[in-house]
Amino acid sequence: MTDPTGHMKMLVGNGEGGGISRYVPQSSPAPKPANRGKITNSQVKRKLAKLNERISMWKQYSENKAVHKRFSGIKPGMRDTFSEKHRAELVLFDAAAKHFDDLKASGEVIDPKK
C-alpha cells in the first residue's frame, strides 16, 4: 500500500495483528553507470565523417597542387588564359586550401601521418 507521496506503508510488529504502521520510502532504481570511456555509435559516425572529409580534401588538394603551382609561375599577362583553361582545378585547389587553413586556425592538427 502506498500513500500519495509514493512512500510504501509497512506494518511492523509481532505478526499478531497489533503492529505499528510506518511509511518507508520506495526504493528508487539504481543510477545508470556513466559512459566514461565508452564511445557511442554517433560519436564514431561523426569522427568517420570528419576523417572522410579530411581525406577527400587532402586528395583534392594534392591532385590540383601541380596546376596551382604552374599558375603561380606564369607571367601576369598569360594568367587569364591559363585560369580559363584550368578553372575547375584552381577552384578545387583553393577550396581545399581554405579548408585546411580553417582547420589550422581552429587549432586542429593537420598532419596526414597522424
Side-chain angles (χ1 to χ4, degrees), residues 81-101:
T81 308
F82 187 86
S83 66
E84 286 176 17
K85 286 182 182 178
H86 300 282
R87 180 186 287 305
E89 292 96 339
L90 293 171
V91 168
L92 290 172
F93 177 84
D94 289 341
K98 182 181 180 331
H99 175 76
F100 288 120
D101 286 342

Side-chain angles (χ1 to χ4, degrees), residues 47-106:
K47 181 99 173 165
L48 280 174
K50 195 180 213 182
L51 289 173
N52 283 332
E53 179 186 23
R54 193 174 286 188
I55 289 169
S56 172
M57 286 295 183
W58 183 256
K59 184 179 176 186
Q60 184 173 309
Y61 179 86
S62 59
E63 286 175 350
N64 298 302
K65 186 176 181 180
V67 175
H68 187 268
K69 190 173 184 178
R70 283 193 330 212
F71 176 72
S72 62
I74 293 177
K75 294 180 183 179
M78 304 279 294
R79 283 187 173 197
D80 290 337
T81 308
F82 187 86
S83 66
E84 286 176 17
K85 286 182 182 178
H86 300 282
R87 180 186 287 305
E89 292 96 339
L90 293 171
V91 168
L92 290 172
F93 177 84
D94 289 341
K98 182 181 180 331
H99 175 76
F100 288 120
D101 286 342
D102 291 346
L103 286 177
K104 263 194 240 181
S106 70

Side-chain angles (χ1 to χ4, degrees), residues 40-53:
T40 63
N41 196 18
S42 61
Q43 288 172 325
V44 171
K45 286 180 182 180
R46 278 190 300 249
K47 181 99 173 165
L48 280 174
K50 195 180 213 182
L51 289 173
N52 283 332
E53 179 186 23

